Amino acid sequence: MLQDPTVEAAELERTFIAIKPDGVQRGLISEIIGRFERKGYKLVAIKLIVPTKEFAAQHYDDLSSRPFFNGLCDFLSSGPVVAMVWEGQGVIKYGRKLIGATSPQASEPGTIRGDLCVQVSRNIIHGSDGPETAVNEIGLWFKPEELVSYTKNDEKWLYE
Ligand code: GDP
Ligand code: MG
């Protein structure tokens, strides 16, 4: 069905997306999932999990020297997080566009952070920042058997 192998390969791109405890507590799960879903991306894994502080520190280990690191890990482990893997062409980079800039003060209106939150330390969502990070984060949060490969009926209308 797909003629161009580069398109086929691109469709398999996956990214790790998490709704942080503030997004869950503020009732924004469906709003956030809806934006990825309506764009045309495919949900391939999802679970609700309260990470330990140690796990949060592993997830954010590239930020361990930053002054806000301890508070960030306390916060991520303070309640349920919706951990997800989304799949689709360009989903890593475009997922970050849907999310918006790190600080909601700098996020454009129309983005998730631009529309739905105010402060950098309560910015409701995480998304992998590149292909290598995506692989590492998916591997940290999910076992391989938790990722579901399936054909979605709208794919033939999303991809030529
Ligand atoms: P992201 O990839 O856009 O989430 O941003 P980073 O990877 O740079 O930072 C991870 C998370 O740390 C952000 O989403 C924020 O929640 C938090 N963070 C980043 N910068 C700051 C800061 O200057 N102050 C505080 N308090 N938190 C920050
Ligand atoms: Mg980041």
Side-chain angles (χ1 to χ4, degrees):
M1 195 169 49
L2 287 162
Q3 311 275 303
D4 179 355
T6 59
V7 171
E8 196 168 8
E11 280 180 49
L12 288 177
E13 188 176 313
R14 288 173 169 175
T15 193
F16 174 70
I17 300 291
I19 304 173
K20 299 181 189 181
D22 48 348
V24 174
Q25 294 295 341
R26 292 184 50 218
L28 296 172
I29 296 173
S30 61
E31 170 71 35
I32 291 170
I33 289 179
R35 290 183 182 216
F36 279 83
E37 206 175 31
R38 290 198 300 274
K39 169 70 177 168
Y41 293 133
K42 176 161 71 173
L43 185 64
V44 296
I46 184 166
K47 62 184 169 187
L48 191 66
I49 173 175
V50 183
T52 62
K53 188 170 179 184
E54 292 66 36
F55 188 90
Q58 241 181 303
H59 170 76
Y60 279 128
D61 79 336
D62 60 315
L63 298 172
S64 60
S65 62
R66 306 295 291 276
F68 56 84
F69 179 70
N70 191 51
L72 178 62
C73 296
D74 274 338
F75 181 65
L76 193 72
S77 57
S78 68
V81 168
V82 178
M84 298 175 279
V85 179
W86 286 87
E87 183 182 289
Q89 194 173 318
V91 70
I92 300 172
K93 200 168 174 192
Y94 206 88
R96 294 276 299 189
K97 275 198 187 188
L98 290 178
I99 288 170
T102 301
S103 169
Q105 297 291 328
S107 309
E108 294 297 326
T111 65
I112 291 168
R113 286 170 175 164
D115 288 348
L116 303 171
C117 57
V118 178
Q119 222 179 26
V120 68
S121 58
R122 296 292 182 270
N123 63 1
I124 69 173
I125 181 166
H126 168 85
S128 304
D129 63 10
E132 204 180 314
T133 324
V135 168
N136 292 340
E137 291 176 349
I138 291 168
L140 177 67
W141 288 79
F142 288 97
K143 300 183 191 117
E145 63 268 26
E146 291 177 310
L147 305 181
V148 183
S149 292
Y150 62 102
T151 302
K152 207 158 160 282
N153 282 327
D154 61 7
E155 281 167 33
K156 58 178 177 287
W157 301 105
L158 285 162
Y159 301 105
E160 64 172 6

